[in-house]
Amino acid sequence: MQVRADQLAAHLQRGLAPLYTVHGDEPLLALEAADTIRAAARAAGHTEREVHTVAGAHVDWSGILGGAQAMSLFADKRLIEIRIPSGKPGKDGSAALQAHAAQLPEDTLTVVSLPRLDRMQMGSAWFGALEAAGVTVKVEPVGRAALPAWLARRLAAQGQHVAPGPEGEQALARFADRVEGNLMAAAQEIRKLALLHPPGTLSAAQIEAAVLPVARYDIFKLGEALLGGQVARLRRVLAGLEAEGEAAVLVHWAIADDIRALRRCRQALDAGQPLAAVLREQRIWGPKEALYERALPRLDAARLDAALADAHRCDGIVKGLPQPGWPASPWAALEQLALRLALPLAQPARSGPARRG
C-alpha cells in the first residue's frame, strides 16, 4: 500500500500497519513522516525503541532483525527503526529484509528509512517485499510552483496568514524565492514568524523583514527553470549556483545535455514518432517528462540547432577560450546560453538587463 506524506496522519488515525517504508530526498518531510509514525506508535503502546543505522559493507543483519522475533524483556510492544542512508542494503541485507517482511513479528512495528530511490532500487526484490508487506510513504520534494501554498499551510498551522488577494500572493512568492530548495530553513523561518508576531495577518513588510535569504539551488532546478521558460527564476538559480561555488563546467554540461536531449526528441517527433514513445526512448521521466511535453511543441529544429551551436561556443568560454560576440565571463556566457533557449518558452517572455562579462 502506498500513502502520500500528506495523507500519512489520516492513515495512522485508522490504525497502525506492522511495517512502514519511508523514502525520498527531502530531509525535513522525511523526518516529519518518521516523527508522525513514531508518535502514533507511542500512542499505541510501542514504548521500547531500537534504532539501527546501516552503514558500510559489514553489517550484522542477524543482530538487527534476528532478534525481532524474540519476546521483548521490557515491554509488550516494540518499535524497530532501520535507517539505510545509501539506499543499498547489500546482498545480505536484501535477504534479511525479505525474510523479515515475509514473517513480521507480532507486537513489533518496523520503520525502514531510505533516501530517494532510482527505478532499479524500487524494482528490487527487497523493496518489493517491503512494499507488499506494509505501507510505503514516498516523500516528494516541494516544487517551486507548490512552495507558496506549502508556506501558507505552515503559517495557517500556527494561526498566521497573509492578506487575501495579490498582496498576499506576492508576499508568499517573495517568501518562496528566499527559501526555495531549503525546506529545513523554511520551517525555521516560519517558526521565527510565530515568535515575532501574534496570530493573524502578516504583512508583506513583516515577512520581508523577518525571512532571511536561505535558498539553496541545484542543477536540477536550473533545468526546471530553463525548460519552463521561467526567466527570472533562471537568472536567480544561476546566480545562486555561482555564489555557492558550483563549477561552471558542470552547469554548462547540464544545460547542453538538455539541449541535446531536446534536439533528439525534436528529430524523432519530426520523423513521425509519438511523443510518449520518444520520451520513453530518450529515458526522460519523472518531473522532467512534463517539462519536455510543454517545451517541445514550442521549439522547432532550427531553434534547437542554433542552441546546440551556442552550447559549443559556450563550452569554449567556460574552458577559458574567448568567443566573438560572447561575454568573457563564464557565468555571463552561461546565462546568455540559457536565456536564448528559455525566452522562446516564456509566457510572456520578459527579459531584464543582460549580465555583463
Side-chain angles (χ1 to χ4, degrees):
M1 178 182 180
Q2 296 184 3
V3 173
R4 295 199 315 267
D6 60 355
Q7 298 173 327
L8 181 58
H11 159 80
L12 292 169
Q13 289 177 355
R14 297 191 294 270
L16 281 170
L19 170 66
Y20 288 89
T21 304
V22 180
H23 65 104
D25 60 355
E26 179 46 65
L28 173 70
L29 301 184
L31 177 62
E32 290 181 342
D35 283 344
T36 302
I37 296 170
R38 280 191 286 268
R42 285 194 300 271
H46 293 264
T47 54
E48 183 182 342
R49 180 184 174 207
E50 299 177 17
V51 180
H52 305 277
T53 299
V54 176
H58 304 291
V59 178
D60 180 15
W61 281 97
S62 62
I64 295 175
L65 292 176
Q69 303 291 337
M71 292 288 292
S72 172
L73 299 177
F74 304 104
D76 292 332
K77 296 183 178 181
R78 286 185 294 180
L79 169 64
I80 297 177
E81 294 188 50
I82 305 168
R83 301 170 181 174
I84 311 175
S86 68
K88 300 176 181 179
K91 183 178 179 180
D92 291 344
S94 173
L97 289 171
Q98 290 178 70
H100 183 71
Q103 192 175 0
L104 292 169
E106 293 184 8
D107 295 328
T108 297
L109 173 65
T110 305
V111 179
V112 181
S113 296
L114 299 157
R116 184 176 69 88
L117 304 177
D118 58 29
R119 286 198 170 193
M120 183 175 296
Q121 290 168 312
M122 293 183 69
S124 64
W126 63 267
F127 185 81
L130 295 176
E131 193 170 31
V135 174
T136 303
V137 183
K138 185 177 181 181
V139 178
E140 298 280 8
V142 180
R144 176 60 181 81
L147 188 51
W150 183 88
L151 295 170
R153 288 194 297 272
R154 291 270 169 156
L155 288 171
Q158 61 191 30
Q160 295 177 316
H161 54 269
V162 297
E167 180 186 348
E169 292 173 4
Q170 186 175 12
L172 288 173
R174 284 284 296 156
F175 196 161
D177 288 345
R178 290 191 166 203
V179 300
E180 181 182 357
N182 196 348
L183 289 193
M184 197 74 76
Q188 292 173 351
E189 295 300 305
I190 291 169
R191 288 194 292 270
K192 185 202 298 182
L193 286 167
L195 295 173
L196 293 174
H197 303 289
T201 302
L202 293 169
S203 69
Q206 288 172 327
I207 293 175
E208 188 81 14
V211 177
L212 297 173
V214 291
R216 293 290 181 269
Y217 298 109
D218 57 34
I219 289 178
F220 179 74
K221 290 184 174 60
L222 177 64
E224 285 183 340
L226 177 68
L227 295 168
Q230 300 167 331
V231 174
R233 185 184 179 209
L234 179 61
R235 285 195 169 103
R236 192 166 58 247
V237 173
L238 278 169
L241 290 171
E242 181 181 8
E244 291 170 12
E246 188 62 81
V249 172
L250 183 59
V251 174
H252 173 269
W253 173 85
I255 296 173
D257 190 59
D258 273 325
I259 293 172
R260 287 190 292 266
L262 286 165
R263 186 169 179 267
R264 290 193 299 269
C265 290
R266 183 74 267 166
Q267 289 173 332
L269 289 172
D270 290 345
Q273 295 184 37
L275 178 58
V278 170
L279 295 177
R280 187 167 57 251
E281 181 181 343
Q282 296 300 323
R283 301 176 65 84
I284 295 166
W285 46 62
K288 268 200 170 182
E289 185 175 359
L291 292 169
Y292 270 66
E293 287 175 348
R294 291 194 294 268
L296 280 165
R298 303 206 296 275
L299 290 170
D300 58 23
R303 169 70 63 179
L304 291 169
D305 286 344
L308 188 60
D310 286 342
H312 286 311
R313 297 185 185 97
C314 191
D315 179 59
I317 295 171
V318 298
K319 294 176 180 176
L321 302 174
Q323 298 290 326
W326 281 74
S329 162
W331 286 96
L334 287 169
E335 183 177 281
Q336 182 169 310
L337 170 65
L339 287 176
R340 286 187 177 183
L341 185 62
L343 282 171
L345 303 176
Q347 294 182 334
R350 291 186 177 182
S351 174
R355 290 173 59 156
R356 300 182 181 275

